[in-house]
Amino acid sequence: MSEAKVNRKAAIVLGAGQFPKAPALDRTGFSSSAEDFISYLLDEQLFSLPKANLLNLFDSAASPGEQLEQLCDFLDRFQNQSDEEVNDIVLYYVGHGGFVGMNKEFFLAIAATKEGLQGSTAIRTGDLSSALRDHAGRARKYLILDCCFAASAFAQFQDTGL
């Protein structure tokens, strides 16, 4: 295995600091956290991530489905090109976590999240877990969920064999 493949890494940043359809969720601290984490990832003296290996969806107005599709396409790019295959994937989410539906499924709020319709306008952790399982190959996955009730996501990720 070449040295270039041994140290290949990618990162995905999700979440929001402003929630236009759920203004009670707005928090300026989320934006600061996302900006600081992205700076850390790209800093050549710290994590040293190539900018092309960062998918930044923080504050994206895209729907949950669109964001998951972008995430899958981003991951597929690395899995389909052996010279760009990644060994490590860091997923960082900062925002609000909550529960929806009779099964109390855990969700991650994004800029498109609408109050009262979180189940269809936020990213469900089950869907995120499936996307990572199906599109991240055998890469190691590091999940950082900076939100309330983050430990509740564990069951969803554990069940899918991540």
Side-chain angles (χ1 to χ4, degrees):
M1 185 175 287
S2 71
E3 182 66 26
K5 286 178 75 173
V6 171
N7 295 316
R8 296 297 303 211
K9 48 198 169 192
I12 301 158
V13 177
L14 298 171
Q18 295 183 338
F19 303 85
K21 298 175 184 176
L25 299 179
D26 288 357
R27 298 287 186 279
T28 57
F30 296 156
S31 297
S32 297
S33 293
E35 290 168 11
D36 289 348
F37 192 73
I38 290 168
S39 293
Y40 165 78
L41 291 171
L42 298 176
D43 189 304
E44 291 182 19
Q45 301 300 314
L46 298 172
F47 199 76
S48 193
L49 183 74
K51 192 166 187 163
N53 290 21
L54 172 66
L55 176 63
N56 181 6
L57 294 174
F58 186 82
D59 269 341
S60 169
S63 72
E66 292 167 334
Q67 287 193 31
L68 288 171
E69 184 176 350
Q70 290 177 44
L71 181 147
C72 291
D73 291 346
F74 175 75
L75 293 172
D76 286 346
R77 185 185 93 204
F78 296 109
Q79 301 311 315
N80 295 330
Q81 298 179 9
S82 61
D83 61 327
E84 290 190 26
E85 186 176 6
V86 296
N87 295 38
D88 299 293
I89 297 168
V90 176
L91 184 137
Y92 175 70
Y93 170 84
V94 61
H96 287 285
F99 302 93
V100 67
M102 293 182 67
N103 295 333
K104 300 293 183 195
E105 186 173 0
F106 189 63
F107 71 84
L108 304 171
I110 57 174
T113 299
K114 183 171 181 168
E115 192 170 338
L117 294 174
Q118 294 91 335
S120 59
T121 60
I123 295 176
R124 292 179 184 227
T125 54
D127 294 336
L128 179 59
S129 176
S130 294
L132 289 170
R133 181 195 64 231
D134 296 342
H135 296 273
R138 296 185 320 196
R140 290 178 294 265
K141 297 149 195 90
Y142 302 92
L143 306 174
I144 303 167
L145 303 179
D146 186 0
C147 60
C148 290
F149 314 111
S152 299
F154 175 76
Q156 302 262 303
F157 288 98
Q158 192 69 19
D159 287 346
T160 60
L162 282 180

